């Protein structure tokens, strides 16, 4: 069976050619996903092939996404692929963070080690390849910062024109700077993420621009590799829990799809549970999970959080994410600004560091273990989605006691680390050190 696009809605399941430029089902408006037959694949042979490719100098094999290309066979040939050697991100044990979370052990999979500093690169190499294959010249996205940084880099590397829309004043300078440096046409729009997404979808259609938001099913395919690589690094021993932050919920959808496919292929024996953590001021998915089965998502009209990456009130991928969390036996929780800030500092003290949205994972885990939902001896991998340098302003404010929550209240710098201003006086500095 060739690769196809299939409507995610159970009652529709309409199928379309893989080269059709559509982002939602033309029949029912549902989300789309790429679908393949994996019947001819053999688990043992795949494991061997993927290990051998790690030692190879061919760019495609060096990529932590395309190395696993049997899991994402949507291209006819690989000449359209641009790789910046995305993926290849480490599993980092963090005993101090484990203790903070109330766990015996905790491992972070740090997607901030990617070329543009976030997990978006795993998906963007695939989305860009599809854009080139379709003969597109321009690509666009709305972003809370990381998608735009990633899209700018991959589109420019592929010779496409990146066009970026961001909520004015609501993304970190690190991310905005990346978009500018990588040559994107950048529009700072006076609206929030959800409003701009609606605008960009209309503009993309009107001007024939390829849309690279996470509604794009090929980006989701690429993000599956985060899980495939994680399992490869763990010698195919699945953890009990995988914890990740939730914004637009593309990553949750990708993780669930990857786990289902790996399981059906016999590459993993058990299905880990997915725990999705949202910021309390932007937590429509958490609210949805509290309501009865069959409920639909109520958007948060004015989402708020300093973790700007996940400041999203109307996540497009919620039907997929809901299916994945429920079928994995997982859960959704929400954490406060103070909890995120402290968890982030703890991850920093492990010598690891991450951006604010990523720290929601540790903050959430601390809650889940306290509530008994995650057992102390559980085998847990938390995914850190963005690099520590994405938002240095937040870090400086936290450590100097000047970080204010969106409601204006001052956050406590529980683990603050004030820099000391001192005159050029050796004795005085020696005294301060001792
Ligand atoms: N963590 C970081 C660092 C992110 O940048 C994002 C999303 C998420 C978590 C949430 O992932 O949307 O798949 O649930 N950032 C998007 C962006 C929205 O535009 O960069 P999600």
């Amino acid at each position: 069976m060739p690769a196809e696009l299939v409507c995610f809605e159970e009652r529709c399941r309409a199928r379309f050619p893989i080269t059709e430029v559509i982002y939602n089902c033309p029949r029912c408006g549902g989300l789309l996903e790429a679908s393949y037959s994996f019947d001819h694949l053999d688990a043992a042979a795949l494991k061997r092939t993927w290990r051998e490719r790690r030692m190879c100098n061919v760019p495609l094999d060096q990529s932590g996404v395309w190395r696993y290309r049997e899991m994402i066979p949507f291209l006819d040939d690989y000449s359209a692929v641009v790789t910046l050697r995305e993926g290849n991100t480490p599993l980092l044990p963090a005993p101090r963070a484990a203790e903070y979370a109330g766990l015996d052990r905790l491992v972070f999979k740090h997607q901030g080690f990617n070329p543009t500093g976030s997990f978006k690169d795993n998906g963007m190499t695939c989305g860009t390849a599809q854009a080139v294959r379709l003969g597109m010249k321009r690509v666009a996205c709305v972003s809370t910062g990381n998608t735009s940084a990633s899209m700018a880099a991959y589109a420019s590397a592929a010779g496409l024109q990146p066009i970026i829309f961001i909520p004015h004043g609501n993304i970190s300078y690190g991310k905005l700077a990346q978009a500018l440096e990588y040559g994107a046409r950048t529009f700072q729009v006076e609206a929030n993420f959800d409003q701009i997404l609606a605008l960009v979808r209309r503009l993309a259609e009107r001007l024939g621009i390829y849309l690279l938001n996470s509604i794009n099913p090929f980006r989701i395919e690429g993000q599956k590799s985060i899980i495939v690589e994680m399992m490869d690094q763990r010698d195919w021993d699945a953890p009990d829990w995988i914890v990740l932050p939730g914004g637009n919920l593309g990553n949750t959808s990708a993780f669930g799809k990857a786990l289902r496919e790996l399981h059906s292929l016999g590459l993993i024996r058990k299905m880990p549970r997915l725990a999705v953590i949202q910021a309390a001021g932007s937590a429509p998915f958490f609210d949805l999970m509290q309501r009865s089965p069959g409920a639909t998502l109520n958007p948060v009209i004015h989402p708020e959080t300093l973790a700007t990456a996940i400041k999203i009130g109307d996540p497009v991928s919620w039907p997929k994410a809901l299916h994945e969390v429920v079928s994995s036996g997982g859960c959704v929780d929400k954490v406060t600004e103070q909890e995120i800030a402290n968890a982030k500092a703890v991850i920093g003290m492990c010598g690891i560091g991450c951006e604010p949205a990523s720290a929601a994972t540790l903050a959430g885990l601390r809650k889940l273990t306290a509530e008994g939902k995650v057992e102390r001896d559980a085998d847990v991998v938390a995914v850190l989605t963005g690099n520590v340098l994405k938002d240095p302003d937040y870090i400086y404010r936290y450590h100097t006691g000047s970080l204010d929550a969106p409601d204006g209240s001052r956050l406590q710098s529980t683990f603050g680390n004030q820099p000391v201003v001192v005159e050029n006086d050796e004795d005085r500095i020696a005294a301060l050190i001792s």
Side-chain angles (χ1 to χ4, degrees), residues 118-120 142-148 175 193 214 223 245-252 309-310 312 355 357-358 385-386:
S118 85
F119 73 96
K120 305 290 181 180
V142 54
S143 178
T144 55
N146 281 323
T147 296
S148 50
K175 297 173 189 178
F193 179 93
S214 61
Q223 285 171 214
N248 221 9
L249 301 174
N251 221 17
T252 308
I310 50 173
I312 294 176
E355 70 162 283
S358 310
T385 44

Side-chain angles (χ1 to χ4, degrees), residues 26-41:
R27 284 208 204 141
C28 77
L31 297 167
L32 296 171
E33 66 175 5
S35 165
Y36 329 93
S37 164
F38 290 123
D39 289 348
H40 60 291
L41 296 178

Side-chain angles (χ1 to χ4, degrees), residues 143-189:
S143 178
T144 55
N146 281 323
T147 296
S148 50
S150 183
M151 193 192 82
Y154 280 84
S156 289
L160 305 173
Q161 159 93 79
I163 305 170
I164 279 165
F165 297 82
I166 49 180
H168 188 38
N170 273 302
I171 78 166
S172 72
Y173 271 120
K175 297 173 189 178
L176 176 56
Q178 284 182 292
L180 301 177
E181 187 79 356
Y182 295 138
R185 286 210 63 191
T186 303
F187 296 93
Q188 298 181 270
V189 186

Side-chain angles (χ1 to χ4, degrees), residues 218-385:
F218 301 98
R219 281 200 39 216
I220 300 296
E221 287 306 291
Q223 285 171 214
K224 286 185 336 195
S225 65
I226 300 167
I227 294 294
V228 184
E229 185 180 72
M230 179 196 297
M231 299 304 163
D232 188 1
Q233 289 165 321
R234 292 175 52 100
D235 296 322
W236 308 102
D237 178 21
D240 299 320
W241 287 91
I242 295 174
V243 187
L244 74 162
N248 221 9
L249 301 174
N251 221 17
T252 308
S253 314
F255 283 17
K257 187 169 192 269
L259 290 168
R260 282 189 283 113
E261 291 173 350
L262 290 176
H263 194 250
S264 75
L265 267 164
L267 280 158
I268 54 172
R269 290 234 177 76
K270 77 170 181 213
M271 283 290 279
R273 295 165 174 225
L274 291 174
V276 179
I277 315 298
Q278 297 208 286
S282 306
F285 191 45
F286 170 81
D287 292 340
L288 174 66
M289 289 289 285
Q290 306 311 300
R291 305 210 316 275
S292 56
T296 56
L297 183 126
N298 287 337
V300 173
I301 305 302
H302 298 294
E304 286 296 357
T305 173
L306 295 179
T308 48
I310 50 173
K311 188 171 165 180
I312 294 176
D314 193 5
V316 284
S317 292
W318 72 262
K320 285 184 180 177
L322 180 64
H323 175 261
E324 304 303 355
V325 171
V326 171
S327 62
S328 81
C331 63
V332 182
D333 214 329
K334 63 177 179 182
V335 288
T336 64
E337 295 298 309
Q338 185 67 61
E339 288 169 326
I340 293 174
N342 286 348
K344 182 172 141 51
V346 171
I347 296 168
M349 287 190 288
C350 295
I352 292 175
C354 64
E355 70 162 283
S358 310
T361 54
L362 181 61
L365 266 171
R366 187 173 156 95
K367 270 185 88 173
L368 291 171
T369 50
E371 291 162 4
K373 287 195 187 137
V374 173
E375 313 234 313
R376 169 170 266 287
D377 63 355
D379 182 357
V380 183
V381 180
V383 178
L384 299 180
T385 44

Side-chain angles (χ1 to χ4, degrees), residues 60-80:
L60 218 55
D61 291 346
Q62 287 189 338
S63 162
V65 174
W66 297 104
R67 178 181 307 135
Y68 304 106
R69 50 193 174 270
E70 287 79 4
M71 297 295 297
I72 49 170
F74 62 88
L75 292 174
D76 300 326
D77 73 84
Y78 293 98
S79 57

